[in-house]
Each structure stands twice: as C-alpha cells, then as structure tokens.
Amino acid sequence: MRISQIPALRAHLQPLGLAAALLCLSLGAMAQSGPPVRIGLIVDQSGVYSAITGKGSITAAQMALDEAGGQVLGRKVELLTFDHQSKADSAAAKAREWYDNGVDAIQDVGGSAAALAVLNIAKEKGKVLVMSGPASDRITGDMCGPTVAHWAYNSYALANTVGKAAAEKIGKQWYFLTADYSGGYDIVKATTQAIATVGGKVIGETRHPLNGSDFSSAVVQAQASKADVIGLANFGNDLVNSIKAAREFGITPESKQKLASLLMYINDVHSVGLRTAQGMLLSEAFYWDMNDETRAFSKKYFAKVNAMPNMSQMGAYSSVKHYLKAVEAAGSTDAKAVMAKMREMPINDVFTKNGRLREDGMMVHDMYLFQVKSPQESKAPWDYYKVISTVPADKAFLPLSESACPLVKK
C-alpha cells in the first residue's frame, strides 16, 4: 500500500469503528439489563369465578406494573395470563410450563382446587407463588412452602369475622350449602370451629357441584332444617344463584331464617342487586369507599373495567407491587432471596396498611365486617356496604402457635 492511500483507508474505517463501538455499547446494555422479569397470572377468565378474579385481577396487576414504570433492576417486566377455567389440571400444567420456561413468579390462582395444584408445582420447582384468589387454609397450613404466600384472605379469617358475627347476631343453629370441593370444605370446617366458640352448632349440610345450575333442592333442604342461619359456603356464580334461589323460596331479609355468606364480594352484591342482597353480613379486606386513597385508586380501576375492585383483585395489585419492591431490594429474582425481602418489608399500599408476611406464608392484615345496605340507604352506584366492625390482623388470622405449617418454629 502506498503512503498516499492511508488517509483514505482511515476515512473508510472510521464509520466501521463507530458502528462497532455502538454495537458493543448496545450489547453491554443488554447484558446489564438482562432478560425480562416475567410474572404469570393464572385466573378464571371465563368460568364460575371470572367476575371475582378474571379481567379485574389482570387489570389490577397491570396497574401495579405501570406504577413501577414497567421495569425492575433495569429489566422490563412482562405480565403473562392464563385462563384455567376452574380446572386444576390445566392450572398445574400451565404452572409447570411457565416455571420451566423462565417465569419468575406466579400470582392470583383463583379457586382452591387450582391453587393447591399449582402450589405443589411451585414447591417442587422452588419458585415464587403468591395467591390472592383462593380460600384454602392448607396453603399456609400443612401444604405451606418456603416460596409460597397467601395474600388477601383465607377461610379462617372469613370464618372468624363474618361466621362468628353471624352466630352472635343472628342465630346459633347453622345449615350449610357447600361447594363440593376443597374450598367449600375448608370454609365450612373453619366456620364450624368459629361459631362453636360462641355457642353455635351445625345441624346439617347439603353439598352441590361446582358451577351448579339448580339450587332449588338444596335450598328446600336447608329451609326444612329450621336452622337459624343458612351458611353459604360457595362462591362466585354459585353464590349468586343460591341467593336468588333462596329469595324465591321465601328466605328473605324479613324471614326468621337468615342467609350468611362466608365469601361474598362486592361484585356478587352488584350482580344480585341491593334489594336481594340487603342486610347480609360479609367480610372483605378492602372496600373502595373507605377513604380518599381507596376512592382515588378505585376510580382509576373503574375506568378500565367498569366495576369496583374486590379484595382478591386488590390483593393481586398489592402482591405484584410488593414482589417488585422485593426484587429491587434483593437485587435479584432468586426465589428465596426475594421471598426473604417480602417477609422483611412491611406492606403499605392502598390495599392494606402495616401488613406483614409471616413465616407460614400468610400475609396478615385487618379484615372488615360489612353489612349490605338497603336500596334506601345507598346514595350512589356501588355504594353497597356499611362498616360494622374492624377485626385487627392478630384477631382475624390463625395464631402462629396453632399453625400446622412445618416451617413455623414453635
């Protein structure tokens, strides 16, 4: 090469050098940011629980992601969703697939049968699972796991709030209409124990299949029992349809026999209407009209789904938000490191104040006893509840000293 050709060669190589440098910077940034953090929501989007989890839980979780700017540790956060259609085998299969393909955490999992199936997969894989939809006490009892958390409520808390109150205020003799699966059994067991502490007893029970179509026979049997209280140990569309059937057979707010729902959401009240649901006692961990903060958040939520959020949907928001904070604090998505931070940090958000995640996996917080307003008492759409009492966390949830979780040191 002649000396005269060197300047031209330099001019030719300079753009290539700049491009190479930019490529290196780009690759370096990618290496630094890493793969996306992936959160999967397994919810019922088309079955019996679709109104109380479904789109509402997905929306709430996405709102938590949006508040975090869609990223954590400089990495993008992706939200995956799956409709389990109230099928435990489908939920378990999807959980295994997701965990095997890099999903960092699974959340929500409405329905106890599906939840317990997914829980087994999470324990096997050593992955994070945080649930706000199911009721089963076994999640933080004999089936508890080091990377598993139960967020919004459980059967014990509901029974200890609405069950005990109904036994004290309405009557001591109970008859249950029970969903014939683990969620129904658990809540009946917990309520039976709760009402016994105030002199209540169970005199009968009728079980019905999940997503039942006709509740007439079950209601007639309950009515014939002459029980003071007909405890509705069913959920979602089954609860709505059993309330409607009971009213058709003359079990009204004015009758001697009363209905008490062990798990009734604001969506259920909206579905049956105040005239039908009025006077019923229920327990939730959240109500949209509690204070300025809950009203402001719920207004944004309503604009997206045309409904007010319930405690399970708000639990999905809270658990995703807390999970992302824990990932940031841990500097990692490692399941054990993240769960340690989730237990270490208090939970303070629009869902709850001063909540804490115990070693058994239960996130303990205050619960509320509500009564459904009459149409005359309601002043606006979704103005459905009046607060009867607040049950503090240490009274609402099972004491650790009584826990069946093998992780709890006694």
Side-chain angles (χ1 to χ4, degrees), residues 162 230 232 234 239 259-264 280-283:
V162 69
I230 300 174
L232 302 176
N234 52 15
L239 170 65
L259 300 179
S261 171
L262 283 311
L263 179 54
M264 189 174 192
M280 290 185 67
L281 295 175
L282 59 93
S283 179

Side-chain angles (χ1 to χ4, degrees), residues 25-172:
L25 286 172
S26 176
L27 291 173
M30 289 175 63
Q32 184 178 6
S33 63
V37 175
R38 305 174 78 196
I39 300 172
L41 257 65
I42 296 180
V43 293
D44 183 357
Q45 299 179 53
S46 57
V48 65
Y49 303 133
S50 57
I52 57 179
T53 58
K55 180 183 176 181
S57 290
I58 295 168
T59 299
Q62 185 62 55
M63 290 174 74
L65 261 61
D66 293 344
E67 288 181 13
Q71 62 176 7
V72 63
L73 300 178
R75 296 161 59 183
K76 181 181 177 182
V77 181
E78 293 182 353
L79 185 66
L80 310 178
T81 66
F82 176 71
D83 179 7
H84 67 52
Q85 300 177 325
S86 297
K87 298 176 182 177
D89 55 347
S90 295
K94 180 55 67 172
R96 184 177 296 278
E97 175 194 324
W98 274 354
Y99 283 143
D100 286 344
N101 288 279
V103 169
D104 297 288
I106 290 176
Q107 308 227 9
D108 199 308
V109 199
S112 291
L116 295 177
V118 173
L119 187 154
N120 282 323
I121 307 299
K123 288 167 63 177
E124 174 192 331
K125 301 291 183 181
K127 292 281 193 173
V128 171
L129 172 63
V130 188
M131 294 177 281
S132 295
S136 179
D137 294 328
R138 298 190 68 193
I139 294 167
T140 54
D142 64 303
M143 291 184 67
C144 71
T147 58
V148 176
H150 200 178
W151 213 256
Y153 72 100
N154 67 359
S155 295
Y156 183 96
L158 295 174
N160 213 36
T161 304
V162 69
K164 186 180 291 186
E168 290 174 328
K169 297 174 183 293
I170 301 173
K172 305 297 185 187

Side-chain angles (χ1 to χ4, degrees), residues 52-53 56-61 63-64 67 107-108 132 151-152 265 284-288 293-294 297-298 301 308-321 347 349-352 363:
I52 57 179
T53 58
S57 290
I58 295 168
T59 299
M63 290 174 74
E67 288 181 13
Q107 308 227 9
D108 199 308
S132 295
W151 213 256
Y265 292 97
E284 286 207 58
F286 177 88
Y287 179 44
W288 71 270
E293 184 182 18
T294 59
F297 180 92
S298 299
Y301 177 95
M308 289 300 180
N310 62 42
M311 66 176 168
S312 286
Q313 292 159 344
M314 289 303 300
Y317 163 84
S318 176
S319 65
V320 168
K321 190 178 182 73
I347 296 94
D349 54 36
V350 67
F351 173 67
T352 195
M363 197 280 273

